[in-house]
Amino acid sequence: MAFGWRVYGLGVMALGLVCLAWGDFDPGQPVPKALPDRVALAYAAAAFMVVAGAAVAWRRTTAWAAAALAAYYALVVVILLNGAVVLAHPARYGAYSGLAEQLAIAAAGLIVYAGSARIDAALAARLTRLGWLAFGACALLFGGAHFFYMNLTAPLVPRWLPPSQTFWGYATGLGHIAAGIAILTGVQARLAAILLTVMFASFTPLVHIPLLLADAAGRETWSENALNLALTGAAWVVADSLPRRRRS
């Protein structure tokens, strides 16, 4: 692994810090409002995310922290929480794209664990491939969301960026889909993951920071910035873990 795992850990930390600041669960973790002791559990989950995200960056604890994040996001956030949303709204595309955002974080945690833990090489390879497949599927869902919700996607593009907001809405959607196909098939997968990382990273100065400057008191803008950082790190982790092309 190169540098992506540090960005990934920083992104998860940022998500946890936003939750601590507002005393509530991350919007991507749809915990029922009526859950007993919800506020205490929200603080506990936020503290876990901050500690685990920081522990990913320390080599002695990278494997265990990544395993904890992969388990938490896969079992609790994806299956238990977002799975319930999908079952309640099976015809709503947003339920699937929201699940994909959380699954991408789980997939990156799995890849980091496989690349840092002292486990059998064959097992590590299988876990890494599982992470690639999960992340590739998430990229497809991200791209589809641009087409399903172009009325929400296009206005996020800066007006000064030529040729038009709608053009970049479709272009970035196609970019997600192309990257997902490449990662799933293994055709130019590393290049696709690198370009996807660059695209995610560009969203921060072009989209998320301007939104934050316009509404610095809004929780949603802070959460979106933190989520984009986590997804940038996740894509970077995937890119780092994919094999380079051999020179002939």
Side-chain angles (χ1 to χ4, degrees):
M1 295 183 295
F3 194 71
W5 54 282
R6 293 185 183 275
V7 179
Y8 168 74
L10 183 62
V12 175
M13 282 182 62
L15 285 169
L17 289 171
V18 173
C19 295
L20 284 176
W22 267 267
D24 199 358
F25 285 95
D26 181 73
Q29 302 176 18
V31 176
K33 296 292 185 181
L35 183 72
D37 299 319
R38 188 179 186 278
V39 174
L41 290 173
Y43 277 114
F48 163 75
M49 292 161 65
V50 172
V51 172
V56 166
W58 190 28
R59 287 194 176 275
R60 290 187 177 183
T61 55
T62 297
W64 289 108
L69 286 173
Y72 172 71
Y73 271 92
L75 300 178
V76 177
V77 180
V78 173
I79 295 177
L80 182 61
L81 299 178
N82 283 274
V85 174
V86 170
L87 291 176
H89 307 282
R92 184 189 299 173
Y93 190 90
Y96 299 95
S97 59
L99 181 147
E101 292 174 345
Q102 310 306 313
L103 179 58
I105 297 175
L110 183 64
I111 293 172
V112 173
Y113 169 74
S116 58
R118 296 181 179 180
I119 57 177
D120 178 72
L123 175 60
R126 289 195 295 271
L127 293 177
T128 300
R129 179 161 180 77
L130 179 60
W132 293 342
L133 294 175
F135 189 85
C138 292
L140 294 179
L141 288 168
F142 295 157
H146 284 221
F147 291 87
F148 272 86
Y149 301 111
M150 183 55 62
N151 61 319
L152 300 177
T153 302
L156 297 175
V157 179
R159 293 181 179 273
W160 53 262
L161 196 63
S164 70
Q165 293 175 299
T166 301
F167 170 85
W168 286 109
Y170 283 121
T172 50
L174 288 172
H176 279 102
I177 293 171
I181 293 172
I183 293 169
L184 289 171
T185 61
V187 178
Q188 296 290 346
R190 180 179 171 83
L191 175 61
I194 291 172
L195 293 176
L196 185 61
T197 303
V198 173
M199 184 167 69
F200 277 136
S202 72
F203 291 163
T204 293
L206 292 174
V207 178
H208 296 294
I209 288 181
L211 290 175
L212 184 62
L213 293 176
D215 183 21
R219 178 194 174 189
E220 184 177 352
T221 52
W222 284 98
S223 296
E224 288 295 329
N225 270 274
L227 176 62
N228 190 67
L229 180 60
L231 291 177
T232 300
W236 201 333
V237 164
V238 174
D240 286 342
S241 65
L242 286 161
R244 300 175 184 271
R245 294 185 63 183
R246 295 182 180 179
R247 295 181 180 179
S248 56

